[in-house]
Amino acid sequence: MRILLVEDEPDLGAAIKRTLTQQKYLVDWVLDGNDAWAYLENKWTQYTLAIFDWMLPGISGLELCKMLRSHKSPLPVLMLTAKDRMEDKVAGLDAGADDYLVKPFGMAELLARLRALQRRSPQFQPQELTVGNLTLDYGNNIVVSQNTAGNKQEISLTNKEFQLLEYFMKHPNQIMTTEQIRNQLWVVSAEPISNVVAAQMRLLRRKLTNSGCENIIETLHGTGYRLNFTP
Ligand code: CA
Protein backbone atom coordinates (compact mmCIF):
# COMPACT_ATOMS: atom_id res chain seq x y z
CA MET A 1 0.00 0.00 0.00
CA ARG A 2 1.56 3.22 -1.17
CA ILE A 3 0.68 6.64 0.23
CA LEU A 4 1.55 10.08 -1.09
CA LEU A 5 2.17 12.45 1.83
CA VAL A 6 2.32 16.17 1.09
CA GLU A 7 3.37 18.10 4.19
CA ASP A 8 5.70 21.08 4.27
CA GLU A 9 6.43 21.06 8.00
CA PRO A 10 9.61 18.94 8.18
CA ASP A 11 9.13 17.64 11.73
CA LEU A 12 5.51 16.69 11.22
CA GLY A 13 6.15 15.16 7.79
CA ALA A 14 9.01 13.06 9.16
CA ALA A 15 6.90 11.90 12.12
CA ILE A 16 4.00 10.89 9.88
CA LYS A 17 6.28 9.10 7.45
CA ARG A 18 7.95 7.21 10.30
CA THR A 19 4.61 6.15 11.75
CA LEU A 20 3.19 5.01 8.42
CA THR A 21 6.37 3.14 7.50
CA GLN A 22 6.17 1.25 10.79
CA GLN A 23 2.68 0.19 9.70
CA LYS A 24 4.17 -1.19 6.47
CA TYR A 25 2.80 1.53 4.25
CA LEU A 26 5.19 2.67 1.54
CA VAL A 27 5.34 6.47 1.76
CA ASP A 28 6.40 9.03 -0.84
CA TRP A 29 6.76 12.30 1.05
CA VAL A 30 6.99 15.64 -0.75
CA LEU A 31 7.08 19.13 0.75
CA ASP A 32 5.25 21.24 -1.81
CA GLY A 33 2.22 21.14 -4.04
CA ASN A 34 4.06 21.31 -7.35
CA ASP A 35 6.13 18.25 -6.48
CA ALA A 36 2.97 16.51 -5.35
CA TRP A 37 1.29 17.08 -8.69
CA ALA A 38 4.37 15.78 -10.50
CA TYR A 39 3.93 12.53 -8.51
CA LEU A 40 0.19 12.39 -9.13
CA GLU A 41 -0.49 13.52 -12.67
CA ASN A 42 -1.43 10.44 -14.68
CA LYS A 43 0.20 8.30 -11.97
CA TRP A 44 -2.30 8.40 -9.10
CA THR A 45 -3.20 4.75 -9.62
CA GLN A 46 0.09 3.76 -7.98
CA TYR A 47 -1.26 5.13 -4.69
CA THR A 48 -3.79 3.68 -2.26
CA LEU A 49 -4.29 6.96 -0.38
CA ALA A 50 -3.10 10.56 -0.33
CA ILE A 51 -2.58 12.89 2.63
CA PHE A 52 -2.54 16.60 1.77
CA ASP A 53 -1.73 19.42 4.11
CA TRP A 54 -4.06 22.35 3.33
CA MET A 55 -1.48 25.16 3.31
CA LEU A 56 1.42 24.25 1.03
CA PRO A 57 4.02 26.08 -1.04
CA GLY A 58 3.13 25.97 -4.73
CA ILE A 59 -0.25 24.31 -5.12
CA SER A 60 -2.44 24.13 -2.00
CA GLY A 61 -3.89 20.87 -0.69
CA LEU A 62 -7.33 22.14 -1.65
CA GLU A 63 -6.22 22.77 -5.24
CA LEU A 64 -4.54 19.34 -5.40
CA CYS A 65 -7.88 17.78 -4.45
CA LYS A 66 -9.71 19.72 -7.14
CA MET A 67 -7.10 18.80 -9.76
CA LEU A 68 -7.34 15.10 -8.89
CA ARG A 69 -11.11 15.11 -9.12
CA SER A 70 -11.12 17.09 -12.36
CA HIS A 71 -8.91 14.31 -13.75
CA LYS A 72 -11.53 11.75 -12.58
CA SER A 73 -9.21 10.25 -9.97
CA PRO A 74 -11.04 8.48 -7.11
CA LEU A 75 -7.88 8.41 -4.96
CA PRO A 76 -9.00 8.79 -1.31
CA VAL A 77 -7.67 12.03 0.19
CA LEU A 78 -7.22 12.92 3.84
CA MET A 79 -6.71 16.64 4.43
CA LEU A 80 -4.54 17.91 7.26
CA THR A 81 -5.35 21.39 8.40
CA ALA A 82 -5.07 23.82 11.25
CA LYS A 83 -8.36 25.22 10.05
CA ASP A 84 -11.30 23.89 11.97
CA ARG A 85 -13.99 26.34 11.00
CA MET A 86 -17.05 24.77 9.45
CA GLU A 87 -16.83 26.77 6.21
CA ASP A 88 -13.29 25.50 5.60
CA LYS A 89 -14.41 21.93 6.04
CA VAL A 90 -17.22 22.49 3.57
CA ALA A 91 -14.79 24.01 1.05
CA GLY A 92 -12.47 21.03 1.43
CA LEU A 93 -15.22 18.48 1.04
CA ASP A 94 -16.57 20.37 -1.98
CA ALA A 95 -13.09 20.17 -3.49
CA GLY A 96 -13.21 16.39 -3.18
CA ALA A 97 -11.45 15.61 0.10
CA ASP A 98 -12.73 12.44 1.78
CA ASP A 99 -11.87 13.28 5.37
CA TYR A 100 -10.25 15.84 7.64
CA LEU A 101 -7.80 15.81 10.46
CA VAL A 102 -7.32 19.03 12.41
CA LYS A 103 -3.83 19.81 13.72
CA PRO A 104 -2.53 18.97 16.22
CA PHE A 105 -3.53 15.32 16.11
CA GLY A 106 -2.21 12.06 17.50
CA MET A 107 -0.72 9.39 15.26
CA ALA A 108 -3.24 6.83 16.54
CA GLU A 109 -6.04 9.01 15.21
CA LEU A 110 -4.29 9.47 11.89
CA LEU A 111 -3.97 5.69 11.49
CA ALA A 112 -7.62 5.16 12.45
CA ARG A 113 -8.74 7.74 9.86
CA LEU A 114 -6.62 6.07 7.17
CA ARG A 115 -8.06 2.66 7.98
CA ALA A 116 -11.58 4.11 7.79
CA LEU A 117 -10.80 5.74 4.45
CA GLN A 118 -9.51 2.46 3.07
CA ARG A 119 -12.66 0.67 4.15
CA ARG A 120 -14.84 3.28 2.45
CA SER A 121 -12.79 3.71 -0.67
CA PRO A 122 -13.49 2.08 -4.02
CA GLN A 123 -9.98 0.65 -3.91
CA PHE A 124 -10.98 -1.08 -0.68
CA GLN A 125 -8.07 -2.93 0.80
CA PRO A 126 -9.16 -6.27 2.26
CA GLN A 127 -7.86 -7.47 5.59
CA GLU A 128 -6.20 -10.51 4.04
CA LEU A 129 -4.70 -11.53 0.75
CA THR A 130 -4.30 -15.25 0.07
CA VAL A 131 -2.47 -16.79 -2.87
CA GLY A 132 -1.84 -20.53 -2.74
CA ASN A 133 -0.67 -21.41 0.76
CA LEU A 134 0.44 -17.88 1.66
CA THR A 135 -1.76 -15.34 3.42
CA LEU A 136 -0.91 -11.71 4.11
CA ASP A 137 -2.70 -10.53 7.24
CA TYR A 138 -2.88 -6.75 6.96
CA GLY A 139 -4.52 -6.30 10.33
CA ASN A 140 -1.58 -7.86 12.15
CA ASN A 141 1.11 -7.18 9.52
CA ILE A 142 2.14 -10.81 9.35
CA VAL A 143 2.48 -13.51 6.72
CA VAL A 144 1.18 -17.01 7.37
CA SER A 145 2.00 -20.12 5.36
CA GLN A 146 -0.09 -23.25 5.49
CA ASN A 147 1.17 -26.70 4.59
CA THR A 148 -0.88 -29.45 2.95
CA ALA A 149 -1.79 -30.85 6.37
CA GLY A 150 -3.35 -27.48 7.25
CA ASN A 151 -0.69 -26.50 9.76
CA LYS A 152 -0.07 -22.78 9.84
CA GLN A 153 3.27 -21.11 10.35
CA GLU A 154 3.96 -17.43 10.78
CA ILE A 155 6.78 -16.02 8.66
CA SER A 156 8.56 -13.03 10.13
CA LEU A 157 9.26 -10.45 7.42
CA THR A 158 10.71 -6.97 7.40
CA ASN A 159 8.57 -4.11 6.02
CA LYS A 160 10.28 -4.27 2.66
CA GLU A 161 10.02 -8.05 2.41
CA PHE A 162 6.31 -7.80 3.23
CA GLN A 163 5.80 -5.19 0.50
CA LEU A 164 7.79 -7.24 -1.98
CA LEU A 165 5.80 -10.39 -1.30
CA GLU A 166 2.54 -8.41 -1.47
CA TYR A 167 3.51 -7.06 -4.88
CA PHE A 168 4.07 -10.57 -6.22
CA MET A 169 0.90 -11.90 -4.60
CA LYS A 170 -1.11 -9.13 -6.25
CA HIS A 171 0.33 -10.12 -9.63
CA PRO A 172 0.52 -13.93 -9.63
CA ASN A 173 1.83 -15.61 -12.77
CA GLN A 174 2.95 -12.28 -14.20
CA ILE A 175 6.55 -11.49 -15.03
CA MET A 176 7.65 -8.49 -12.97
CA THR A 177 10.80 -6.83 -14.24
CA THR A 178 13.47 -5.61 -11.87
CA GLU A 179 12.68 -2.07 -12.96
CA GLN A 180 8.96 -2.47 -12.24
CA ILE A 181 9.72 -3.83 -8.78
CA ARG A 182 12.18 -1.06 -8.02
CA ASN A 183 9.76 1.64 -9.21
CA GLN A 184 6.92 0.14 -7.18
CA LEU A 185 8.72 -0.52 -3.92
CA TRP A 186 11.44 2.04 -3.58
CA VAL A 187 10.89 5.75 -3.26
CA VAL A 188 11.99 7.47 -6.44
CA SER A 189 15.76 8.07 -6.50
CA ALA A 190 16.06 7.38 -2.77
CA GLU A 191 18.14 4.23 -3.08
CA PRO A 192 20.16 4.34 -6.26
CA ILE A 193 21.62 0.87 -5.76
CA SER A 194 21.33 -1.19 -8.91
CA ASN A 195 21.16 -4.58 -7.19
CA VAL A 196 18.81 -3.60 -4.40
CA VAL A 197 15.99 -5.68 -5.88
CA ALA A 198 18.13 -8.79 -6.27
CA ALA A 199 19.44 -8.46 -2.72
CA GLN A 200 15.94 -8.05 -1.31
CA MET A 201 14.70 -11.01 -3.36
CA ARG A 202 17.43 -13.23 -1.88
CA LEU A 203 16.39 -12.30 1.66
CA LEU A 204 12.69 -12.88 0.98
CA ARG A 205 13.31 -16.22 -0.71
CA ARG A 206 15.49 -17.45 2.13
CA LYS A 207 12.68 -16.81 4.60
CA LEU A 208 10.07 -18.40 2.35
CA THR A 209 12.29 -21.45 1.83
CA ASN A 210 12.89 -21.76 5.58
CA SER A 211 9.11 -21.78 6.03
CA GLY A 212 8.56 -24.56 3.53
CA CYS A 213 7.62 -22.32 0.61
CA GLU A 214 10.40 -23.11 -1.84
CA ASN A 215 10.52 -22.07 -5.47
CA ILE A 216 7.34 -19.99 -5.30
CA ILE A 217 9.07 -17.08 -6.97
CA GLU A 218 10.95 -17.99 -10.12
CA THR A 219 13.88 -16.01 -11.54
CA LEU A 220 13.69 -15.37 -15.27
CA HIS A 221 17.27 -14.49 -16.00
CA GLY A 222 17.68 -11.17 -17.76
CA THR A 223 13.93 -10.51 -17.50
CA GLY A 224 12.67 -10.48 -13.93
CA TYR A 225 10.70 -12.62 -11.53
CA ARG A 226 7.39 -14.42 -11.43
CA LEU A 227 5.30 -15.85 -8.61
CA ASN A 228 3.97 -19.14 -9.92
CA PHE A 229 0.55 -20.12 -8.69
CA THR A 230 -1.83 -22.81 -9.90
CA PRO A 231 -5.36 -22.12 -8.63
CA1 CA B 1 1.53 23.65 5.76
Side-chain angles (χ1 to χ4, degrees):
M1 284 175 275
R2 195 178 188 117
I3 292 184
L4 180 66
L5 167 64
V6 193
E7 170 57 66
D8 59 315
E9 291 175 38
D11 290 350
L12 180 59
I16 294 173
K17 178 168 182 175
R18 192 165 54 241
T19 299
L20 297 181
T21 303
Q22 282 165 358
Q23 297 296 313
K24 295 189 166 59
Y25 291 103
L26 185 70
V27 182
D28 290 336
W29 171 30
V30 294
L31 288 93
D32 80 60
N34 291 313
D35 285 349
W37 189 246
Y39 274 69
L40 286 171
E41 191 177 15
N42 304 320
K43 293 178 287 191
W44 58 74
T45 53
Q46 67 182 316
Y47 295 106
T48 309
L49 293 164
I51 302 173
F52 297 156
D53 186 28
W54 182 302
M55 302 293 285
L56 291 168
I59 305 168
S60 74
L62 195 74
E63 286 299 320
L64 284 173
C65 260
K66 285 184 188 167
M67 288 159 76
L68 268 180
R69 299 312 179 223
S70 72
H71 282 73
K72 308 278 183 240
S73 166
L75 182 68
V77 173
L78 175 67
M79 292 284 292
L80 304 181
T81 176
K83 301 175 179 220
D84 56 357
R85 295 180 310 157
M86 186 55 72
E87 54 265 45
D88 292 329
K89 289 187 181 176
V90 170
L93 293 171
D94 278 348
D98 295 275
D99 199 6
Y100 260 91
L101 202 46
V102 177
K103 297 178 182 179
F105 53 83
M107 290 299 161
E109 184 175 8
L110 173 69
L111 293 173
R113 295 292 185 96
L114 292 178
R115 284 193 297 270
L117 266 186
Q118 280 174 250
R119 283 196 297 272
R120 296 205 307 260
S121 82
Q123 299 141 301
F124 169 64
Q125 178 67 56
Q127 286 303 296
E128 285 188 352
L129 171 64
T130 298
V131 174
N133 60 353
L134 286 173
T135 297
L136 296 183
D137 177 343
Y138 290 108
N140 298 304
N141 282 328
I142 57 171
V143 179
V144 176
S145 68
Q146 187 170 357
N147 66 17
T148 46
N151 296 319
K152 291 183 178 178
Q153 183 183 358
E154 188 177 322
I155 309 173
S156 175
L157 298 182
T158 64
N159 290 351
K160 198 57 89 179
E161 290 161 355
F162 187 97
Q163 291 162 0
L164 186 56
L165 183 58
E166 178 191 31
Y167 188 50
F168 278 103
M169 289 174 68
K170 283 186 168 175
H171 303 89
N173 299 321
Q174 293 178 36
I175 297 170
M176 313 312 287
T177 67
T178 302
E179 190 182 359
Q180 282 174 320
I181 296 167
R182 193 172 53 225
N183 289 342
Q184 179 69 25
L185 292 186
W186 276 268
V187 175
V188 182
S189 74
E191 290 165 74
I193 311 158
S194 63
N195 63 356
V196 65
V197 172
Q200 198 68 70
M201 286 301 303
R202 272 196 300 280
L203 294 169
L204 174 62
R205 276 182 163 145
R206 186 182 305 159
K207 289 189 179 175
L208 291 174
T209 299
N210 290 342
S211 304
C213 302
E214 290 171 273
N215 306 322
I216 288 179
I217 300 174
E218 181 185 358
T219 302
L220 300 133
H221 289 288
T223 310
Y225 304 88
R226 180 173 60 205
L227 183 147
N228 292 316
F229 167 59
T230 312

